[in-house]
Amino acid sequence: MSIINYTEEEFKHRKSLGKRIVDLRHQYGLTQEELADKVKIAPRSLSEIENGKCCPNAIIVYRIARALDITLFEFYEFKEEDKTLVK
């Protein structure tokens, strides 16, 4: 098992990505369980992604975008305030 040491910038990206997923999920009126089912992952895995504890691979990101019926471009459209997280 390999352990990745993330830079602070990468950690912030992980947190921003998780927040983006939460925002989109709420926008589409889905629970974690509903989105996890659509994406075919465990709700706990989705929770860890949303909380920035782990980073989804490209396939999971693609599945989330598909489940929300948005493009990958739309998926990565972060608001300016989402780019800078408060510690």
Side-chain angles (χ1 to χ4, degrees), residues 64-83:
I64 291 170
R66 291 283 308 248
L68 299 172
D69 197 29
I70 61 173
T71 66
L72 287 173
F73 180 77
E74 290 171 302
F75 183 85
Y76 280 102
E77 279 187 316
F78 292 95
K79 296 176 188 166
E80 193 60 37
E81 62 268 15
D82 290 343
K83 292 180 183 175

Side-chain angles (χ1 to χ4, degrees), residues 13 22 26 30 45 75 84:
H13 174 73
V22 171
H26 288 164
L30 296 171
S45 296
F75 183 85
T84 307

Side-chain angles (χ1 to χ4, degrees), residues 13-25:
H13 174 73
R14 231 175 44 197
K15 296 292 275 185
S16 293
L17 183 62
K19 183 180 182 323
R20 177 71 172 144
I21 294 168
V22 171
D23 291 346
L24 287 166
R25 183 170 57 74

Side-chain angles (χ1 to χ4, degrees), residues 1-2 10-11 13 17-18 20 22 27 34-35 39 43 46 48 51 59 69 75-77 79-80 85-86:
M1 180 175 172
S2 66
E10 291 166 335
F11 179 74
H13 174 73
L17 183 62
R20 177 71 172 144
V22 171
Q27 181 180 336
E34 291 168 332
L35 182 56
V39 176
L46 181 59
E48 289 179 355
N51 288 306
I59 296 300
D69 197 29
F75 183 85
Y76 280 102
E77 279 187 316
K79 296 176 188 166
E80 193 60 37
L85 295 176
V86 179

